[in-house]
Amino acid sequence: MPTKFRPCIDLHNGQVKQIVGGTLHDSDGLKLQTNYVSPHSSAYFAELYRRHSLEGAHVIMLGPGNEAAATEALRAWPSGMQIGGGITADNAQLWLDRGASKVIVTSWLFPDARFSEDRLALLASTVGRDRLVVDLSCRRQTTSGSESCWVVAMNRWQTLTDMKVEHESLKRLSKYCSEFLVHAADVEGLCSGIDRDLVAALGKWSPPVPVTYAGGAASLDDLDLVHRLSAGNVDLTIGSALDIFGGSGVSFDDCVAWNKAGVAASK
């Protein structure tokens, strides 16, 4: 199956925005770099995605003050979109009841920045493996010499955890979830190109559940690039470069056409 375009709705302070991922801080709002603030509601984008059958879109709540907007989006397309941001075992079912197709979890799995398999198992048993997405947003780190690896980052991508994004961790986590979402936080929102090494690695590791990559996409060619690098094993989210988010690199209509062509080719 060819790589698919997977859209998003990023919410910050109740508004649909596109931001530079690495600038999102809890304590210093002055460091935040915003690419775009939409005049449209979250429901507007949810309805747009619904009209084009873009299933698997994700709604991400970047901090507090976004619950109303997130709920509005889910009501516009019940069971059509995933929800992430502040998800725990205590509130996951609430968001499914509000209309999310799946819940996306990251930070809650890492108390004190250390992975808790017990928490993941609890969440999987609470909502079901098929309703759970694990977000492995990460930052590239240099190891010995010039080699590098990717380390899961939590708390809006500011705190590094004790987990690497690698074949063994994906295999371990896939027992509990039905998808992975991987934001490359170092390039998120920059429209300067995807992390090719990470995409190729994700494709090579080919976990037994679907993977969506987000970060740095700048043109429609990146859909083809992700397809080639991952052998079609990784889908792509495009944000700031999209014309519907004020970007000039990618037409939303072209992304929709890409998906339709992929479906036709796979039949």
Side-chain angles (χ1 to χ4, degrees), residues 32-253:
L32 180 68
Q33 295 180 31
T34 303
N35 287 335
Y36 182 71
V37 180
S38 176
H40 300 297
S41 69
S42 58
Y44 168 88
F45 291 100
E47 290 165 357
L48 177 67
Y49 302 160
R50 177 182 56 79
R51 286 200 303 272
H52 294 286
S53 301
L54 295 172
E55 296 182 355
H58 51 267
V59 181
I60 302 296
M61 298 180 287
L62 298 170
N66 295 304
E67 288 199 5
T71 301
E72 184 181 0
L74 297 178
R75 286 175 177 168
W77 192 9
S79 301
M81 296 185 298
Q82 305 167 2
I83 184 75
I87 300 298
T88 71
D90 292 330
N91 65 17
Q93 187 60 52
L94 170 67
W95 285 107
L96 293 175
D97 293 342
R98 288 178 176 175
S101 60
K102 300 184 181 185
V103 290
I104 306 168
V105 63
T106 307
S107 295
W108 186 76
L109 299 179
F110 295 90
D112 300 317
R114 299 181 64 85
F115 173 64
S116 170
E117 191 161 356
D118 288 342
R119 286 194 172 193
L120 180 56
L122 172 62
L123 189 52
S125 66
T126 299
V127 302
R129 175 179 177 271
D130 61 328
R131 308 292 299 272
L132 182 58
V133 180
V134 173
D135 184 341
L136 296 176
S137 296
C138 57
R139 289 184 175 276
R140 186 190 287 256
Q141 299 293 299
T142 302
T143 56
S144 58
S146 60
E147 294 185 2
S148 61
C149 65
W150 296 273
V151 178
V152 176
M154 56 180 279
N155 291 336
R156 307 182 210 175
W157 309 321
Q158 298 305 312
T159 304
L160 294 179
T161 71
D162 64 345
M163 176 173 282
K164 293 180 181 179
V165 179
E166 57 189 1
H167 176 70
E168 287 304 315
S169 61
L170 295 177
K171 182 178 179 181
R172 178 184 179 188
L173 298 176
S174 65
K175 296 184 298 182
Y176 302 101
C177 66
S178 59
E179 287 188 43
F180 291 118
L181 174 61
V182 182
H183 287 89
D186 297 309
V187 297
E188 177 74 18
L190 296 179
C191 300
S192 59
I194 64 170
D195 186 331
R196 298 186 179 204
D197 295 335
L198 177 56
V199 170
L202 291 169
K204 178 181 178 181
W205 296 328
S206 188
V209 299
V211 180
T212 297
Y213 166 91
S219 72
L220 189 69
D221 290 341
D222 283 322
L223 277 164
D224 181 64
L225 179 59
V226 170
H227 175 72
R228 288 187 286 108
L229 289 173
S230 71
N233 291 321
V234 177
D235 290 337
L236 176 65
T237 290
I238 304 174
S240 293
L242 270 180
D243 56 357
I244 61 171
F245 294 130
S248 58
V250 190
S251 161
F252 175 79
D253 290 340

Side-chain angles (χ1 to χ4, degrees), residues 12 21-29 31-32 139 155-156 158:
H12 182 256
T23 68
L24 188 59
H25 292 260
D26 285 322
S27 58
D28 192 353
K31 293 182 179 180
L32 180 68
R139 289 184 175 276
N155 291 336
R156 307 182 210 175
Q158 298 305 312

